Amino acid sequence: MGTVAPERVGAPTRGRRRAPSQPNRWHRPVGLLVGVAFAAAAVWAQTFAYTRDDRGGPLTWTGGVGDEVRASRVWVQARAVHAAKTIEAPGLGGKTAIAKTTGIFLVVDLAAQATREPQKIVSLEILTADGKRYTSTDRVPETQTIKQFFVQPGWWATGPAVFELPVSELAGARIVVSSVRGFIVEPSLPEVEIDLGLDEAGAARLVSEAKDVYSLGNKK
């Protein structure tokens, strides 16, 4: 909108009306430019506005089983999915540790590779179709899972992720993998989310083929 220059205040005149001052020819385009700038700023602010939840949420890269999902810090591939009733793993002193469950053990064979600098896999979760989250089971030593590694640029580190969950939660399940550069966990970690491809029929088939005993070993 144009700007009208104010009249100079002086002694009142008698018998004639003073014509209003004309707008300065430079003020109008400047006013228009200011208006456009404010409008553009408002559009920019609306476009890039986000909530506290958005700021605290992760950046997520998605894919399916067999895909090399390339996130900003790490590439992750889910190579196979298994189910088991019992997990057997090397324990302390050469003894074998055995874990059993009233639900099902879900074992996902993972491969990971850092993009630029070494990464530590710090979080493994199953995200269910209805939004529940199950962290990797603590009944299996981390030294027998992919969480044991600092994954490096240039080659794949491989290892399982092991979860314990109800059979009813398998259909629609996705695995979520997060990593950090060191040992300090940061807010808003980038993450990889992989659909395990389990519809109702696939979940039922996986359970029917579940191994009585699934043995873990040192895998690299």
Side-chain angles (χ1 to χ4, degrees):
M1 182 173 67
T3 302
V4 178
E7 297 180 9
R8 181 176 299 174
V9 178
T13 58
R14 295 179 181 273
R16 54 189 259 196
R17 296 175 60 189
R18 184 172 180 177
S21 300
Q22 296 297 317
N24 187 303
R25 64 192 182 93
W26 293 107
H27 284 187
R28 183 176 296 274
V30 169
L32 289 172
L33 288 173
V34 171
V36 169
F38 275 117
V43 171
W44 183 90
Q46 185 175 16
T47 301
F48 292 97
Y50 48 76
T51 66
R52 181 184 295 271
D53 289 341
D54 292 330
R55 290 199 303 270
L59 296 173
T60 302
W61 284 258
T62 61
V65 173
D67 295 339
E68 292 181 6
V69 184
R70 302 188 175 193
S72 58
R73 296 182 181 179
V74 68
W75 301 353
V76 179
Q77 184 183 38
R79 295 183 171 177
V81 182
H82 315 279
K85 301 171 185 176
T86 303
I87 296 290
E88 184 180 83
L92 296 175
K95 294 182 179 180
T96 299
I98 296 176
K100 295 185 177 182
T101 179
T102 56
I104 198 78
F105 285 112
L106 184 67
V107 182
V108 183
D109 291 338
L110 292 178
Q113 178 181 162
T115 56
R116 292 183 296 276
E117 52 190 335
Q119 296 287 308
K120 178 73 171 175
I121 303 296
V122 292
S123 177
L124 295 166
E125 294 182 321
I126 289 295
L127 177 60
T128 67
D130 60 358
K132 295 188 185 74
R133 289 181 181 265
Y134 293 86
T135 58
S136 53
T137 182
D138 60 1
R139 301 211 285 162
V140 171
E142 283 192 4
T143 54
Q144 302 302 318
T145 74
I146 198 167
K147 291 178 78 172
Q148 70 177 296
F149 299 115
F150 266 95
V151 296
Q152 306 292 327
W155 68 85
W156 294 97
T158 61
V162 185
F163 305 90
E164 184 179 355
L165 64 160
V167 170
S168 59
E169 300 284 18
L170 286 175
R174 290 159 283 170
I175 186 171
V176 182
V177 182
S178 301
S179 68
V180 294
R181 286 188 287 258
F183 288 102
I184 299 175
V185 178
E186 309 158 59
S188 303
L189 287 177
E191 66 181 22
V192 169
E193 181 181 301
I194 297 176
D195 189 332
L196 298 179
L198 298 173
D199 56 13
E200 293 288 348
R205 183 169 56 252
L206 186 70
V207 171
S208 70
E209 297 172 354
K211 295 185 178 182
D212 290 330
V213 179
Y214 187 96
S215 295
L216 298 177
N218 290 307
K219 296 182 180 181
K220 295 186 180 180

